[in-house]
Amino acid sequence: MEGRARLIVVVGSWMNNNISKPEQFFTLARAYADASLILCGYFDNGSKIQAYPRAFVILYLAHHAVELFLKGAIFSRSAHAKLHHNIDELKNTFDQLYSDPGFSWEPPFKTQDR
């Protein structure tokens, strides 16, 4: 790569220091959802990649996006809420904090114990 300039971008969590905690959750939720959608593009272009590993990662990213969105919404209304990884419980807390029918929705993922 002689003769080509390379740009190196350093990214760190300090870049989020100037935004609120809920907005940090929302920003990360968007990033996980975007990554999931980008990987979905590999399935649309006729690629012969292994389906299961890619699908698993896509669903994990989408699942985590939902979790982070719920945490951001909850933290927006209750800064001392107990946050965890159970989407069903997070959704119940969300429903309590956002009881207006306009906020009603069903998460695409449920927490399942094996």
Side-chain angles (χ1 to χ4, degrees), residues 21-22 25 70-81 83 97:
K21 191 73 164 175
F25 281 118
L70 286 167
K71 288 177 176 180
I74 291 166
F75 211 80
S76 290
R77 296 257 172 116
S78 178
H80 301 293
L83 301 178
L97 295 170

Side-chain angles (χ1 to χ4, degrees), residues 30-44 58 61-62:
R30 282 186 216 107
Y32 274 89
D34 288 348
S36 179
L37 289 171
I38 289 167
L39 287 177
C40 281
Y42 286 111
F43 286 109
D44 288 341
I58 288 167
L61 293 170

Side-chain angles (χ1 to χ4, degrees), residues 8-88:
I8 298 174
V9 179
V10 178
V11 179
S13 61
W14 69 85
M15 298 176 86
N16 276 342
N17 287 345
N18 295 329
I19 62 174
S20 69
K21 191 73 164 175
E23 192 57 37
Q24 289 178 29
F25 281 118
F26 291 138
T27 300
L28 287 171
R30 282 186 216 107
Y32 274 89
D34 288 348
S36 179
L37 289 171
I38 289 167
L39 287 177
C40 281
Y42 286 111
F43 286 109
D44 288 341
N45 70 7
S47 175
K48 303 236 186 269
I49 58 174
Q50 293 178 334
Y52 175 77
R54 306 280 188 206
F56 182 85
V57 170
I58 288 167
L59 289 174
Y60 174 83
L61 293 170
H63 180 274
H64 201 55
V66 170
E67 178 184 333
L68 291 169
F69 165 79
L70 286 167
K71 288 177 176 180
I74 291 166
F75 211 80
S76 290
R77 296 257 172 116
S78 178
H80 301 293
K82 183 177 180 191
L83 301 178
H84 43 75
H85 302 289
N86 185 306
I87 286 184
D88 294 330

Side-chain angles (χ1 to χ4, degrees), residues 73-75 77-78 81 92-100 103:
I74 291 166
F75 211 80
R77 296 257 172 116
S78 178
N92 288 338
T93 302
F94 175 90
D95 289 341
Q96 292 169 7
L97 295 170
Y98 295 86
S99 58
D100 184 279
F103 291 110

